Amino acid sequence: MINNLSKKFGNKKVLKSQKTNLVQNVFNNVANKYDLMNDIMSFGMHRLWKNELIRLMNIQNNQKVLDIGCGTGDIGIKISKLNSSVSIFLGDLNLSMLEYGKNKKTNNKNLNWININAEKLPFKNNFFDKFIISFCLRNVTDLKKALKESYRVLKSGGEFYCMEFSKVENDFIERFYKNYKKNAIPLMGKLIAKNKNAYKYLSESIDEFPKQDVILKELNNIGYTETFYLNLLGGIVCIHKGWKI
Ligand SMILES: C[S@@+](CC[C@H](N)C(=O)[O-])C[C@H]1O[C@@H](n2cnc3c(N)ncnc32)[C@H](O)[C@@H]1O
C-alpha cells in the first residue's frame, strides 16, 4: 500500500524521501539526449502537442507565465517567440536540463531560468496569469503539494494547464501503444540514450500515473473551477485545465 512514507518510482515502491533523488538521477543521465529522444519516441509529435497546449492557453500581452518542470524549455521558448511582451519563468529541479535549455539559441530576453522545486515555489501568492506543468507531474514526489502550490501562485482569474501522458481511452490505439511503451521505448533508450533503465522508468511511470478523472477530481478538490481535460491521440497525452477564481 502506498502511504505517506512510500511512493512509486516507476513500478517500484520507494521511501518518499528517496523518490526526488531517484527521479533527478534519471534526468541527470538523459539530459544530453532528452530533446533527440523526444523527437524519436513521439515521431516528432511532442512538438504538435506543445503547440496545441500553447494555442489553448491564449496568452495575452504582458502576462506572467510559469512553466514548471520546463526541462530544456521547449514550451517557454516557443511562447517567447510568439509574444515578446510575456514574462516567462522556466523552472526545473534539474540543473543539467536547465543548462541544455539555456544553451539553445533564443535571443529572448523575457526568459527567466530558475532552479526550483514544483512542491515549494519561491513566488508570492497570486503572482502568475498562467501555470504550465508539462510531462512533469508524473515525476513529482507529492502531487497534491505541487497542485496546491500551483493554485497559490496563480492570480485570481489565472489558469492552470497540465500536459501529461495519460490513460488511453481507445482500444485500437491501446493495443499498439501498450507494446510500444513496454518494449520499444526502453529499447530506444538503450540504443540511443545508452540508458535502458531511464526509459523503462518513463514507461512504468506512465502506467502508474492516475487517469484523467482522478486528476480532474484533484484539481476540483484544490479549488480550481471550470476544470476539463482534452485527450490527444485517444488519451496517450492529455491536457487538463483549471481556472482559479
Ligand atoms: C519529462 S521532463 C519534461 C520537460 C518539459 N516540460 C517538456 O514538456 O518537454 C520532466 C522534467 O520535470 C522535472 N522535475 C521533476 N520533478 C520536479 C520537481 N519536483 N520540481 C521541478 N521540476 C521537476 C525534471 O527535472 C524534468 O526536467
Side-chain angles (χ1 to χ4, degrees), residues 25-41 97 100 184-200 202:
N25 202 22
V26 168
F27 288 102
N28 282 333
N29 288 328
V30 301
N32 64 339
K33 290 281 190 306
Y34 180 77
D35 289 335
L36 176 68
M37 282 296 287
N38 270 356
D39 276 332
I40 295 174
M41 286 184 308
M97 295 288 276
Y100 276 95
I185 289 183
L187 181 64
M188 285 189 240
K190 182 177 170 190
L191 298 177
I192 301 156
K194 310 289 177 224
N195 194 324
K196 183 176 175 181
N197 283 341
Y199 285 88
K200 191 165 165 282
L202 165 67

Side-chain angles (χ1 to χ4, degrees), residues 94-105:
N94 193 283
L95 285 170
S96 307
M97 295 288 276
L98 286 172
E99 220 36 59
Y100 276 95
K102 279 189 217 167
N103 286 335
K104 290 180 182 172
K105 287 204 175 60

Side-chain angles (χ1 to χ4, degrees), residues 76-87:
I77 292 170
K78 269 176 205 262
I79 294 172
S80 73
K81 284 181 182 158
L82 292 172
N83 189 332
S84 60
S85 76
V86 178
S87 299

Side-chain angles (χ1 to χ4, degrees), residues 24 34 50 69-71 92-94 97 116-118 134-136:
Q24 286 309 305
Y34 180 77
K50 287 168 181 166
C70 66
D92 201 288
L93 203 47
N94 193 283
M97 295 288 276
I116 50 174
N117 190 335
S134 161
F135 302 116
C136 168

